[in-house]
Amino acid sequence: VETLERLGGDDIVAVTGVELVWSDGRPPIREQANVPGPVRLDTRPNRFDPISPRVFLNTYLVPVGLMRKVDGYDPVLRWGEHTDLFLRLQDVARFVALPMIGTRVHRDAAPGLARQAWDRKVVGVSRILEKHASVFEASPKLRAVWLDGLGMAYLRTGRRREAVRSFRRAARAYPRRLRVWRHLVAAVTHTETVLCRGSEERVPA
């Protein structure tokens, strides 16, 4: 609030960092945005640079008037609602990052909760790709990442045909992404063992 008042703009969003912690004593992971002053992001080819959607997750402060201007959260989304809001805010707002942790996520409290909601993820990724088509068209690599994530979500819900179609779209968008080709081959040949947890791409929530 102090930062927003000092900068004196009703179009500014303040973003803090995220800390991921575990109960087994492993070192926490801290992720922060690298935006020293109020900047526009809507002119960048990759609209998730320099603020990652993994950071823009309950870590931001938005003036209420600005929130109303973009119609708030999408009521359809139960996965990816923060990313959708982030992209819509970029059309009207400037962003500033604060060097502090605003959200601490205890990963053990609900392990894999978001990743297990595969049906919600299918709806979320599909809707975001559709609503923000111009953003993903401007960045083929980013489009491939999201289509790859959509393919994985389809597989987890047993919709192999849709998964294959999504992997093929990802491969066409950015052929140099080898991970997509591995997923496509595995989906076509039904070798799901290739799709181990470690091979999944973290698509922003």
Side-chain angles (χ1 to χ4, degrees), residues 79-132:
W79 187 99
E81 64 275 15
H82 300 284
T83 301
D84 171 64
L85 175 65
F86 182 33
L87 289 171
R88 285 185 285 118
L89 281 171
Q90 289 183 26
D91 293 331
V92 295
R94 293 177 292 160
F95 295 80
V96 59
L98 305 181
M100 59 182 290
I101 297 298
T103 299
R104 179 170 291 112
V105 181
H106 294 269
R107 299 304 296 267
D108 304 291
L113 180 61
R115 292 190 300 275
Q116 291 172 5
W118 297 111
D119 285 318
R120 294 180 178 181
K121 186 170 182 177
V122 166
V123 173
V125 175
S126 299
R127 187 168 176 82
I128 289 172
L129 283 169
E130 180 181 355
K131 289 180 64 174
H132 306 284

Side-chain angles (χ1 to χ4, degrees), residues 24-187:
D24 59 6
R26 77 180 81 173
I29 296 177
R30 297 180 179 89
E31 296 192 31
Q32 292 186 292
N34 182 24
V35 184
V39 297
R40 297 286 302 235
L41 303 178
D42 58 338
T43 59
R44 299 169 184 262
N46 183 350
R47 299 276 284 271
F48 297 140
D49 180 30
I51 300 178
S52 164
R54 291 193 296 272
V55 173
F56 199 81
L57 179 66
N58 295 331
T59 62
Y60 48 88
L61 188 64
V62 183
V64 65
L66 188 56
M67 194 70 159
R68 288 173 175 160
K69 186 175 183 178
V70 297
D71 294 327
Y73 288 104
D74 185 336
V76 174
L77 295 176
R78 294 296 181 270
W79 187 99
E81 64 275 15
H82 300 284
T83 301
D84 171 64
L85 175 65
F86 182 33
L87 289 171
R88 285 185 285 118
L89 281 171
Q90 289 183 26
D91 293 331
V92 295
R94 293 177 292 160
F95 295 80
V96 59
L98 305 181
M100 59 182 290
I101 297 298
T103 299
R104 179 170 291 112
V105 181
H106 294 269
R107 299 304 296 267
D108 304 291
L113 180 61
R115 292 190 300 275
Q116 291 172 5
W118 297 111
D119 285 318
R120 294 180 178 181
K121 186 170 182 177
V122 166
V123 173
V125 175
S126 299
R127 187 168 176 82
I128 289 172
L129 283 169
E130 180 181 355
K131 289 180 64 174
H132 306 284
S134 61
V135 172
F136 293 97
E137 289 296 337
S139 179
K141 185 176 181 179
L142 184 65
R143 177 174 168 80
V145 170
W146 278 69
L147 286 170
D148 188 24
L150 178 59
M152 294 299 299
Y154 274 133
L155 276 182
R156 299 305 187 190
T157 57
R159 299 158 70 178
R160 188 179 301 276
R161 184 173 298 177
E162 289 91 339
V164 170
R165 186 180 301 118
S166 186
F167 291 140
R168 283 176 174 163
R169 291 172 62 196
R172 286 196 297 270
Y174 195 75
R176 289 183 291 172
R177 186 173 175 79
L178 299 181
R179 182 191 303 268
V180 172
W181 292 104
R182 291 198 299 268
H183 290 173
L184 176 59
V185 170

